[in-house]
Amino acid sequence: GWELSWLIWLSLFIFLCAMWCVTGSLLLTLFIDLIAFLLLMYVIMNWPWLQRKFIFTNWLLQAMQADLGLEQPERFGLVGGVNRKIGQLGCWYVEIPSSQTVVVYCHGSSGTRGSDYRVELVNYLSQQLHCSVYSFDYRGYADSLLDVSEMSQVSVVADARKIIHMARLEHSTSKIVLYGHSLGAGVVCQAAYQLSEEGLPLDQIVLEAPFVSVADWAYDYYLIVRIMNVVPGFRGFPWRFTDILQAKDIIGKLRNVLILSAEDDTVTLSSHGARLHALCPGSTFHLATKGGHNHLIQQESVKRAIAQHLEPR
């Protein structure tokens, strides 16, 4: 999101200044920068490995994630949780023995399961709604140790399915809810669709700050993408990415879906949630006035919407 946006603009500014110092001519500098920029965009458009670096941004904070102390979830404010390894995936698990509802939480593109707003959500689900919760990190994030080079749409969906499989093994008689935030909402849609096609549908789904697809999100969020989309040879630029976690073509096949968006979300516009709601018959769309991209759970209306959605049916 914002970290990558600032990194792109800072890199362009530094390159512009460097070229100006070398050439001594502003016009020549702008011409060289334009050629370099178009070349970079061409490389991004045709190189899936680099595309994935823009989508899965764990590498931006990787050095800071090396030793976070995630094996002690209480340090992050998690109530009643334990740290586990499910395969190679780091996971926090909160068990509510009397609960008949289990939530698998898929987080967004940056940070870890220890991010404060993610902990706040898990605490609400477990302590207020009495759901058992699995909150995990995808491979390459935090202490999930699978080879980072393997990261792709296929891999993050496979990671989510691994946790869902474990939840079903350990809670065979419970209702399984898949909850995704931002990029995690795209992961949820893909995983839920695959399981539905295999005759193993999820009981309920919650999509918080979801996007129609990574490509549609990038078009709305990055000015560069909108500019490139009108340049001959680059039209349809973001839709040529290979890992766009597209939800709009599959969400209509999902059931029992709650979609949460905020009017003041400047990262993923609420129009994405509205579009997904229109494409998903029987879904519920809750539009909060505040909450931004990461703090919807602090809104009482959102808490009520989640509680109502997870009520026994």
Side-chain angles (χ1 to χ4, degrees):
W2 64 267
E3 303 103 328
L4 188 57
S5 182
W6 277 108
L7 183 62
I8 291 171
W9 287 113
L10 180 60
S11 299
L12 289 174
F13 177 74
I14 292 172
F15 186 73
L16 175 66
C17 292
M19 286 298 98
W20 196 354
C21 291
V22 170
T23 64
S25 169
L26 180 58
L27 288 178
L28 181 57
T29 296
L30 292 175
F31 177 74
I32 293 173
D33 281 2
L34 177 61
I35 297 301
F37 175 72
L38 291 175
L39 180 60
L40 175 61
M41 293 299 105
Y42 179 82
V43 171
I44 292 173
M45 188 169 65
N46 292 281
W47 192 6
W49 179 87
L50 191 54
Q51 295 169 13
R52 290 168 186 148
K53 294 299 181 183
F54 283 82
I55 297 171
F56 308 108
T57 58
N58 61 307
W59 57 273
L60 285 172
L61 301 174
Q62 203 163 38
M64 297 170 58
Q65 295 178 11
D67 183 19
L68 292 175
L70 290 166
E71 68 279 359
Q72 297 178 294
E74 66 277 4
R75 288 177 51 190
F76 296 81
L78 188 70
V79 178
V82 296
N83 188 61
R84 298 177 57 180
K85 280 287 187 177
I86 298 179
Q88 296 290 332
L89 301 177
C91 180
W92 284 346
Y93 173 57
V94 183
E95 181 177 15
I96 307 298
S98 60
S99 175
Q100 290 300 305
T101 301
V102 179
V103 178
V104 175
Y105 175 65
C106 300
H107 69 61
S109 65
S110 62
T112 73
R113 63 189 185 275
S115 298
D116 57 355
Y117 56 93
R118 293 168 183 160
V119 174
E120 185 176 5
L121 172 65
V122 173
N123 282 339
Y124 173 70
L125 292 170
S126 61
Q127 304 306 308
Q128 300 298 316
L129 301 188
H130 308 293
C131 302
S132 295
V133 183
Y134 294 80
S135 177
F136 73 100
D137 279 296
Y138 312 109
R139 66 188 70 186
Y141 285 77
D143 56 347
S144 292
L145 300 177
L146 292 180
D147 187 354
V148 179
S149 65
E150 298 178 16
M151 289 188 66
S152 66
Q153 174 175 311
V154 171
S155 73
V156 293
V157 173
D159 292 345
R161 292 192 56 168
K162 182 186 289 290
I163 304 299
I164 295 166
H165 178 68
M166 179 60 70
R168 281 178 159 161
L169 285 178
E170 296 181 340
H171 302 271
S172 58
T173 61
S174 297
K175 175 174 67 177
I176 305 296
V177 179
L178 197 50
Y179 192 122
H181 170 248
S182 192
L183 179 134
V187 174
V188 163
C189 286
Q190 293 291 329
Y193 172 72
Q194 290 178 10
L195 289 167
S196 179
E197 291 293 289
E198 295 167 14
L200 300 167
L202 279 301
D203 295 294
Q204 289 175 309
I205 295 167
V206 182
L207 305 176
E208 180 184 339
F211 48 64
V212 172
S213 73
V214 169
D216 291 89
W217 170 82
Y219 182 85
D220 287 340
Y221 189 72
Y222 292 114
L223 175 61
I224 288 176
V225 173
R226 294 196 294 276
I227 292 172
M228 292 307 302
N229 201 52
V230 299
V231 176
F234 290 89
R235 291 192 176 95
F237 169 65
W239 289 273
R240 301 189 196 183
F241 281 26
T242 57
D243 296 68
I244 61 173
L245 289 163
Q246 187 152 272
K248 60 185 177 184
D249 292 339
I250 59 176
I251 194 169
K253 299 179 181 179
L254 305 181
R255 295 294 177 266
N256 297 324
V257 178
L258 170 63
I259 300 170
L260 304 169
S261 294
E263 291 180 357
D264 64 346
D265 188 343
T266 58
V267 177
T268 302
L269 302 180
S270 61
S271 58
H272 284 255
R275 288 171 64 186
L276 290 176
H277 172 55
L279 292 168
C280 186
S283 64
T284 301
F285 179 49
H286 179 80
L287 180 60
T289 55
K290 295 183 179 180
H293 188 63
N294 293 329
H295 299 287
L296 273 164
I297 193 57
Q298 296 179 357
Q299 305 304 306
E300 291 300 322
S301 66
V302 171
K303 292 180 179 179
R304 289 193 296 269
I306 296 172
Q308 184 176 359
H309 185 66
L310 299 187
E311 285 179 352
R313 302 188 179 190

PDB file of all heavy atoms in Angstrom, residues 15 28 36 48 59 112 128 138 142 171 187 191 212 228 237 249 254 258 262 266 269 276 280 283 287 299 306:
ATOM      1  N   PHE A  15      16.399   9.147  -8.895  1.00  0.00           N
ATOM      2  CA  PHE A  15      16.943   8.911 -10.232  1.00  0.00           C
ATOM      3  C   PHE A  15      16.939  10.207 -11.055  1.00  0.00           C
ATOM      4  O   PHE A  15      17.892  10.500 -11.788  1.00  0.00           O
ATOM      5  CB  PHE A  15      16.120   7.831 -10.934  1.00  0.00           C
ATOM      6  CG  PHE A  15      16.683   7.413 -12.269  1.00  0.00           C
ATOM      7  CD1 PHE A  15      17.828   6.626 -12.334  1.00  0.00           C
ATOM      8  CD2 PHE A  15      16.081   7.805 -13.455  1.00  0.00           C
ATOM      9  CE1 PHE A  15      18.358   6.237 -13.555  1.00  0.00           C
ATOM     10  CE2 PHE A  15      16.597   7.423 -14.684  1.00  0.00           C
ATOM     11  CZ  PHE A  15      17.743   6.631 -14.728  1.00  0.00           C
ATOM     12  N   LEU A  28      17.220  16.807 -21.241  1.00  0.00           N
ATOM     13  CA  LEU A  28      17.850  15.506 -21.462  1.00  0.00           C
ATOM     14  C   LEU A  28      17.570  14.567 -20.294  1.00  0.00           C
ATOM     15  O   LEU A  28      17.312  13.371 -20.487  1.00  0.00           O
ATOM     16  CB  LEU A  28      19.357  15.684 -21.647  1.00  0.00           C
ATOM     17  CG  LEU A  28      20.166  14.396 -21.924  1.00  0.00           C
ATOM     18  CD1 LEU A  28      19.624  13.690 -23.165  1.00  0.00           C
ATOM     19  CD2 LEU A  28      21.648  14.721 -22.064  1.00  0.00           C
ATOM     20  N   ALA A  36      13.733   5.360 -19.213  1.00  0.00           N
ATOM     21  CA  ALA A  36      13.990   4.417 -18.119  1.00  0.00           C
ATOM     22  C   ALA A  36      12.677   3.962 -17.474  1.00  0.00           C
ATOM     23  O   ALA A  36      12.499   2.782 -17.151  1.00  0.00           O
ATOM     24  CB  ALA A  36      14.898   5.055 -17.075  1.00  0.00           C
ATOM     25  N   PRO A  48       6.616 -11.908 -14.129  1.00  0.00           N
ATOM     26  CA  PRO A  48       5.770 -12.255 -12.985  1.00  0.00           C
ATOM     27  C   PRO A  48       6.488 -12.174 -11.641  1.00  0.00           C
ATOM     28  O   PRO A  48       5.885 -11.786 -10.640  1.00  0.00           O
ATOM     29  CB  PRO A  48       5.330 -13.689 -13.298  1.00  0.00           C
ATOM     30  CG  PRO A  48       5.361 -13.757 -14.794  1.00  0.00           C
ATOM     31  CD  PRO A  48       6.531 -12.919 -15.188  1.00  0.00           C
ATOM     32  N   TRP A  59       8.616  -8.211   1.817  1.00  0.00           N
ATOM     33  CA  TRP A  59      10.044  -7.900   1.678  1.00  0.00           C
ATOM     34  C   TRP A  59      10.376  -6.477   2.133  1.00  0.00           C
ATOM     35  O   TRP A  59      11.503  -6.197   2.518  1.00  0.00           O
ATOM     36  CB  TRP A  59      10.485  -8.086   0.222  1.00  0.00           C
ATOM     37  CG  TRP A  59       9.716  -7.262  -0.766  1.00  0.00           C
ATOM     38  CD1 TRP A  59       8.550  -7.601  -1.384  1.00  0.00           C
ATOM     39  CD2 TRP A  59      10.043  -5.952  -1.234  1.00  0.00           C
ATOM     40  NE1 TRP A  59       8.117  -6.592  -2.216  1.00  0.00           N
ATOM     41  CE2 TRP A  59       9.018  -5.565  -2.146  1.00  0.00           C
ATOM     42  CE3 TRP A  59      11.091  -5.068  -0.999  1.00  0.00           C
ATOM     43  CZ2 TRP A  59       9.019  -4.331  -2.805  1.00  0.00           C
ATOM     44  CZ3 TRP A  59      11.093  -3.834  -1.648  1.00  0.00           C
ATOM     45  CH2 TRP A  59      10.061  -3.490  -2.546  1.00  0.00           C
ATOM     46  N   THR A 112       2.466  -8.549   9.914  1.00  0.00           N
ATOM     47  CA  THR A 112       2.353  -9.938  10.376  1.00  0.00           C
ATOM     48  C   THR A 112       1.067 -10.108  11.179  1.00  0.00           C
ATOM     49  O   THR A 112       0.311  -9.155  11.381  1.00  0.00           O
ATOM     50  CB  THR A 112       3.534 -10.314  11.294  1.00  0.00           C
ATOM     51  OG1 THR A 112       3.366  -9.651  12.565  1.00  0.00           O
ATOM     52  CG2 THR A 112       4.875  -9.893  10.678  1.00  0.00           C
ATOM     53  N   GLN A 128     -15.243 -11.784  22.728  1.00  0.00           N
ATOM     54  CA  GLN A 128     -16.599 -11.236  22.713  1.00  0.00           C
ATOM     55  C   GLN A 128     -17.596 -12.152  21.991  1.00  0.00           C
ATOM     56  O   GLN A 128     -18.725 -12.317  22.451  1.00  0.00           O
ATOM     57  CB  GLN A 128     -16.596  -9.854  22.049  1.00  0.00           C
ATOM     58  CG  GLN A 128     -15.716  -8.831  22.759  1.00  0.00           C
ATOM     59  CD  GLN A 128     -16.173  -8.556  24.188  1.00  0.00           C
ATOM     60  OE1 GLN A 128     -17.365  -8.399  24.451  1.00  0.00           O
ATOM     61  NE2 GLN A 128     -15.231  -8.509  25.122  1.00  0.00           N
ATOM     62  N   TYR A 138       1.383 -16.012   5.987  1.00  0.00           N
ATOM     63  CA  TYR A 138       1.717 -16.721   4.754  1.00  0.00           C
ATOM     64  C   TYR A 138       3.215 -17.016   4.718  1.00  0.00           C
ATOM     65  O   TYR A 138       4.002 -16.386   5.416  1.00  0.00           O
ATOM     66  CB  TYR A 138       1.362 -15.874   3.518  1.00  0.00           C
ATOM     67  CG  TYR A 138      -0.013 -15.268   3.545  1.00  0.00           C
ATOM     68  CD1 TYR A 138      -0.185 -13.892   3.733  1.00  0.00           C
ATOM     69  CD2 TYR A 138      -1.148 -16.053   3.380  1.00  0.00           C
ATOM     70  CE1 TYR A 138      -1.440 -13.319   3.747  1.00  0.00           C
ATOM     71  CE2 TYR A 138      -2.416 -15.485   3.399  1.00  0.00           C
ATOM     72  CZ  TYR A 138      -2.565 -14.122   3.582  1.00  0.00           C
ATOM     73  OH  TYR A 138      -3.806 -13.561   3.608  1.00  0.00           O
ATOM     74  N   ALA A 142       7.017 -13.096   8.468  1.00  0.00           N
ATOM     75  CA  ALA A 142       7.323 -13.370   9.871  1.00  0.00           C
ATOM     76  C   ALA A 142       8.079 -14.692  10.011  1.00  0.00           C
ATOM     77  O   ALA A 142       9.102 -14.894   9.374  1.00  0.00           O
ATOM     78  CB  ALA A 142       6.032 -13.353  10.693  1.00  0.00           C
ATOM     79  N   HIS A 171     -11.768 -29.439  14.547  1.00  0.00           N
ATOM     80  CA  HIS A 171     -13.123 -29.000  14.927  1.00  0.00           C
ATOM     81  C   HIS A 171     -14.121 -29.560  13.918  1.00  0.00           C
ATOM     82  O   HIS A 171     -14.807 -28.810  13.215  1.00  0.00           O
ATOM     83  CB  HIS A 171     -13.194 -27.468  14.951  1.00  0.00           C
ATOM     84  CG  HIS A 171     -12.217 -26.833  15.885  1.00  0.00           C
ATOM     85  ND1 HIS A 171     -12.491 -26.572  17.207  1.00  0.00           N
ATOM     86  CD2 HIS A 171     -10.948 -26.394  15.678  1.00  0.00           C
ATOM     87  CE1 HIS A 171     -11.438 -26.004  17.779  1.00  0.00           C
ATOM     88  NE2 HIS A 171     -10.489 -25.889  16.871  1.00  0.00           N
ATOM     89  N   VAL A 187      -7.487 -13.695  -1.078  1.00  0.00           N
ATOM     90  CA  VAL A 187      -7.087 -15.071  -0.764  1.00  0.00           C
ATOM     91  C   VAL A 187      -8.305 -15.877  -0.344  1.00  0.00           C
ATOM     92  O   VAL A 187      -8.500 -17.023  -0.779  1.00  0.00           O
ATOM     93  CB  VAL A 187      -6.018 -15.075   0.346  1.00  0.00           C
ATOM     94  CG1 VAL A 187      -5.701 -16.504   0.790  1.00  0.00           C
ATOM     95  CG2 VAL A 187      -4.744 -14.380  -0.130  1.00  0.00           C
ATOM     96  N   ALA A 191      -9.696 -19.301  -2.094  1.00  0.00           N
ATOM     97  CA  ALA A 191      -9.734 -20.543  -1.327  1.00  0.00           C
ATOM     98  C   ALA A 191     -11.159 -21.065  -1.180  1.00  0.00           C
ATOM     99  O   ALA A 191     -11.419 -22.267  -1.347  1.00  0.00           O
ATOM    100  CB  ALA A 191      -9.097 -20.324   0.049  1.00  0.00           C
ATOM    101  N   VAL A 212     -11.903  -5.784  -5.863  1.00  0.00           N
ATOM    102  CA  VAL A 212     -12.457  -6.563  -6.969  1.00  0.00           C
ATOM    103  C   VAL A 212     -11.376  -7.466  -7.548  1.00  0.00           C
ATOM    104  O   VAL A 212     -11.610  -8.625  -7.870  1.00  0.00           O
ATOM    105  CB  VAL A 212     -13.032  -5.613  -8.040  1.00  0.00           C
ATOM    106  CG1 VAL A 212     -13.436  -6.377  -9.285  1.00  0.00           C
ATOM    107  CG2 VAL A 212     -14.224  -4.849  -7.470  1.00  0.00           C
ATOM    108  N   MET A 228      -0.146   4.834 -17.199  1.00  0.00           N
ATOM    109  CA  MET A 228       0.335   3.795 -18.103  1.00  0.00           C
ATOM    110  C   MET A 228      -0.796   3.161 -18.898  1.00  0.00           C
ATOM    111  O   MET A 228      -0.601   2.694 -20.026  1.00  0.00           O
ATOM    112  CB  MET A 228       1.078   2.707 -17.319  1.00  0.00           C
ATOM    113  CG  MET A 228       2.383   3.176 -16.705  1.00  0.00           C
ATOM    114  SD  MET A 228       3.492   3.955 -17.896  1.00  0.00           S
ATOM    115  CE  MET A 228       3.706   2.643 -19.085  1.00  0.00           C
ATOM    116  N   PHE A 237      -2.564  -2.430 -18.644  1.00  0.00           N
ATOM    117  CA  PHE A 237      -1.317  -2.729 -17.945  1.00  0.00           C
ATOM    118  C   PHE A 237      -1.492  -3.610 -16.704  1.00  0.00           C
ATOM    119  O   PHE A 237      -0.923  -4.706 -16.634  1.00  0.00           O
ATOM    120  CB  PHE A 237      -0.616  -1.412 -17.613  1.00  0.00           C
ATOM    121  CG  PHE A 237       0.544  -1.511 -16.676  1.00  0.00           C
ATOM    122  CD1 PHE A 237       1.686  -2.197 -17.038  1.00  0.00           C
ATOM    123  CD2 PHE A 237       0.502  -0.916 -15.430  1.00  0.00           C
ATOM    124  CE1 PHE A 237       2.772  -2.285 -16.179  1.00  0.00           C
ATOM    125  CE2 PHE A 237       1.577  -0.992 -14.570  1.00  0.00           C
ATOM    126  CZ  PHE A 237       2.711  -1.680 -14.947  1.00  0.00           C
ATOM    127  N   ASP A 249     -15.024 -12.476 -10.691  1.00  0.00           N
ATOM    128  CA  ASP A 249     -15.537 -13.551 -11.534  1.00  0.00           C
ATOM    129  C   ASP A 249     -15.983 -14.770 -10.743  1.00  0.00           C
ATOM    130  O   ASP A 249     -16.582 -15.680 -11.313  1.00  0.00           O
ATOM    131  CB  ASP A 249     -14.461 -13.977 -12.548  1.00  0.00           C
ATOM    132  CG  ASP A 249     -14.173 -12.899 -13.576  1.00  0.00           C
ATOM    133  OD1 ASP A 249     -15.037 -12.024 -13.765  1.00  0.00           O
ATOM    134  OD2 ASP A 249     -13.079 -12.927 -14.173  1.00  0.00           O
ATOM    135  N   LEU A 254     -20.160 -17.856  -4.301  1.00  0.00           N
ATOM    136  CA  LEU A 254     -19.991 -18.044  -2.869  1.00  0.00           C
ATOM    137  C   LEU A 254     -21.289 -17.693  -2.137  1.00  0.00           C
ATOM    138  O   LEU A 254     -22.098 -16.914  -2.630  1.00  0.00           O
ATOM    139  CB  LEU A 254     -18.847 -17.176  -2.346  1.00  0.00           C
ATOM    140  CG  LEU A 254     -17.493 -17.355  -3.044  1.00  0.00           C
ATOM    141  CD1 LEU A 254     -16.445 -16.452  -2.401  1.00  0.00           C
ATOM    142  CD2 LEU A 254     -17.049 -18.809  -3.012  1.00  0.00           C
ATOM    143  N   LEU A 258     -20.397 -11.801   4.115  1.00  0.00           N
ATOM    144  CA  LEU A 258     -20.519 -10.456   4.676  1.00  0.00           C
ATOM    145  C   LEU A 258     -19.367  -9.630   4.130  1.00  0.00           C
ATOM    146  O   LEU A 258     -18.200 -10.031   4.221  1.00  0.00           O
ATOM    147  CB  LEU A 258     -20.451 -10.494   6.206  1.00  0.00           C
ATOM    148  CG  LEU A 258     -20.315  -9.136   6.918  1.00  0.00           C
ATOM    149  CD1 LEU A 258     -21.535  -8.254   6.666  1.00  0.00           C
ATOM    150  CD2 LEU A 258     -20.076  -9.331   8.410  1.00  0.00           C
ATOM    151  N   ALA A 262     -15.294   0.806   4.433  1.00  0.00           N
ATOM    152  CA  ALA A 262     -15.402   2.086   5.133  1.00  0.00           C
ATOM    153  C   ALA A 262     -15.389   3.226   4.124  1.00  0.00           C
ATOM    154  O   ALA A 262     -14.636   3.190   3.146  1.00  0.00           O
ATOM    155  CB  ALA A 262     -14.263   2.267   6.129  1.00  0.00           C
ATOM    156  N   THR A 266      -8.947   5.067   2.174  1.00  0.00           N
ATOM    157  CA  THR A 266      -8.265   5.642   1.016  1.00  0.00           C
ATOM    158  C   THR A 266      -7.327   4.646   0.339  1.00  0.00           C
ATOM    159  O   THR A 266      -6.699   4.970  -0.666  1.00  0.00           O
ATOM    160  CB  THR A 266      -7.455   6.880   1.435  1.00  0.00           C
ATOM    161  OG1 THR A 266      -6.511   6.508   2.445  1.00  0.00           O
ATOM    162  CG2 THR A 266      -8.368   7.965   1.972  1.00  0.00           C
ATOM    163  N   LEU A 269     -10.889   1.522  -1.991  1.00  0.00           N
ATOM    164  CA  LEU A 269     -12.110   2.316  -1.997  1.00  0.00           C
ATOM    165  C   LEU A 269     -13.329   1.448  -1.720  1.00  0.00           C
ATOM    166  O   LEU A 269     -13.400   0.286  -2.136  1.00  0.00           O
ATOM    167  CB  LEU A 269     -12.262   3.029  -3.343  1.00  0.00           C
ATOM    168  CG  LEU A 269     -11.120   3.962  -3.748  1.00  0.00           C
ATOM    169  CD1 LEU A 269     -11.414   4.602  -5.101  1.00  0.00           C
ATOM    170  CD2 LEU A 269     -10.886   5.031  -2.685  1.00  0.00           C
ATOM    171  N   LEU A 276     -18.569  -5.872  -5.373  1.00  0.00           N
ATOM    172  CA  LEU A 276     -18.596  -7.298  -5.019  1.00  0.00           C
ATOM    173  C   LEU A 276     -19.969  -7.695  -4.474  1.00  0.00           C
ATOM    174  O   LEU A 276     -20.474  -8.787  -4.774  1.00  0.00           O
ATOM    175  CB  LEU A 276     -17.507  -7.599  -3.996  1.00  0.00           C
ATOM    176  CG  LEU A 276     -16.066  -7.527  -4.508  1.00  0.00           C
ATOM    177  CD1 LEU A 276     -15.083  -7.749  -3.361  1.00  0.00           C
ATOM    178  CD2 LEU A 276     -15.817  -8.539  -5.621  1.00  0.00           C
ATOM    179  N   CYS A 280     -22.633 -10.661  -5.875  1.00  0.00           N
ATOM    180  CA  CYS A 280     -22.807 -11.833  -5.004  1.00  0.00           C
ATOM    181  C   CYS A 280     -24.228 -11.873  -4.445  1.00  0.00           C
ATOM    182  O   CYS A 280     -24.514 -11.247  -3.413  1.00  0.00           O
ATOM    183  CB  CYS A 280     -21.792 -11.775  -3.864  1.00  0.00           C
ATOM    184  SG  CYS A 280     -21.791 -13.245  -2.807  1.00  0.00           S
ATOM    185  N   SER A 283     -25.536 -11.725  -0.519  1.00  0.00           N
ATOM    186  CA  SER A 283     -24.497 -11.218   0.378  1.00  0.00           C
ATOM    187  C   SER A 283     -25.014 -10.019   1.173  1.00  0.00           C
ATOM    188  O   SER A 283     -26.007  -9.389   0.801  1.00  0.00           O
ATOM    189  CB  SER A 283     -23.245 -10.815  -0.413  1.00  0.00           C
ATOM    190  OG  SER A 283     -23.539  -9.729  -1.287  1.00  0.00           O
ATOM    191  N   LEU A 287     -21.458  -0.743   5.113  1.00  0.00           N
ATOM    192  CA  LEU A 287     -20.577   0.386   4.825  1.00  0.00           C
ATOM    193  C   LEU A 287     -20.495   1.275   6.058  1.00  0.00           C
ATOM    194  O   LEU A 287     -21.463   1.930   6.428  1.00  0.00           O
ATOM    195  CB  LEU A 287     -21.102   1.180   3.630  1.00  0.00           C
ATOM    196  CG  LEU A 287     -20.279   2.406   3.214  1.00  0.00           C
ATOM    197  CD1 LEU A 287     -18.862   2.000   2.820  1.00  0.00           C
ATOM    198  CD2 LEU A 287     -20.967   3.148   2.063  1.00  0.00           C
ATOM    199  N   GLN A 299     -15.199   0.168  15.040  1.00  0.00           N
ATOM    200  CA  GLN A 299     -16.530   0.759  14.852  1.00  0.00           C
ATOM    201  C   GLN A 299     -17.608  -0.182  15.411  1.00  0.00           C
ATOM    202  O   GLN A 299     -17.648  -1.365  15.051  1.00  0.00           O
ATOM    203  CB  GLN A 299     -16.783   1.030  13.371  1.00  0.00           C
ATOM    204  CG  GLN A 299     -15.725   1.887  12.706  1.00  0.00           C
ATOM    205  CD  GLN A 299     -15.523   3.211  13.415  1.00  0.00           C
ATOM    206  OE1 GLN A 299     -16.475   3.966  13.634  1.00  0.00           O
ATOM    207  NE2 GLN A 299     -14.282   3.500  13.789  1.00  0.00           N
ATOM    208  N   ILE A 306     -20.681  -8.065  12.249  1.00  0.00           N
ATOM    209  CA  ILE A 306     -19.974  -9.343  12.342  1.00  0.00           C
ATOM    210  C   ILE A 306     -20.717 -10.298  13.265  1.00  0.00           C
ATOM    211  O   ILE A 306     -20.914 -11.473  12.946  1.00  0.00           O
ATOM    212  CB  ILE A 306     -18.530  -9.127  12.832  1.00  0.00           C
ATOM    213  CG1 ILE A 306     -17.735  -8.303  11.824  1.00  0.00           C
ATOM    214  CG2 ILE A 306     -17.847 -10.477  13.074  1.00  0.00           C
ATOM    215  CD1 ILE A 306     -16.359  -7.875  12.320  1.00  0.00           C
TER     216      ILE A 306
END
